[in-house]
Amino acid sequence: MSFDPMAAAVAWLDAYRAGDIETILAMYAEDAVVHCSCEGIKIITSTDSLRAYWDDHLRKRPASHLDNLQLSEDGTVISYVTREGVVSALLTFDASGQIASLTCGPSN
């Protein structure tokens, strides 16, 4: 069976919507990088920092529902609704199907 990056992005959003930090963290590669511009610019590169980021993000910016989902040359772009509006996220995946990078911020 081949890896489906769109299904992986939806699974990521489902875990986010459920507030399931352990499932979210398990989806990331050990060397994953997060670039977040939801509250200024943050770059997260370590497992401990990723846990702290998601703990804070789940409390402050819970996701409600899917807005849009598309494949891109680099990965999957998923847009979802939060209290502050629509957020777009580009998820890229490594060869094993784990998230290699997340780039997110408010949709324009």
Side-chain angles (χ1 to χ4, degrees), residues 1-2 8 10 12-14 27 32 36 39 44 46 49 51 53-54 56 59 61 72-73 83 92 98 102-103:
M1 178 179 265
S2 64
V10 171
W12 173 85
L13 181 60
D14 287 346
M27 297 178 88
C36 181
E39 274 183 31
I44 295 93
S46 73
S49 295
R51 179 176 288 282
Y53 166 81
W54 274 108
D56 186 60
R59 282 185 287 109
R61 289 188 154 48
S72 76
E73 287 183 26
R83 290 183 281 221
T92 65
Q98 290 191 293
L102 164 67
T103 303

Side-chain angles (χ1 to χ4, degrees), residues 17-90:
R17 290 176 56 206
D20 186 349
I21 193 168
E22 296 307 323
T23 297
I24 292 168
L25 294 174
M27 297 178 88
Y28 284 85
E30 275 189 42
D31 59 350
V33 177
V34 173
H35 300 266
C36 181
S37 62
C38 293
E39 274 183 31
I41 296 174
K42 292 181 185 174
I43 300 173
I44 295 93
T45 58
S46 73
T47 302
D48 289 340
S49 295
L50 188 61
R51 179 176 288 282
Y53 166 81
W54 274 108
D55 184 53
D56 186 60
H57 213 69
L58 289 169
R59 282 185 287 109
K60 291 182 178 176
R61 289 188 154 48
S64 62
H65 64 273
L66 178 68
D67 180 65
N68 196 0
L69 179 66
Q70 300 175 42
L71 285 176
S72 76
E73 287 183 26
D74 298 324
T76 303
V77 177
I78 187 166
S79 299
Y80 52 91
V81 178
T82 69
R83 290 183 281 221
E84 291 81 20
V86 177
V87 174
S88 289
L90 170 63

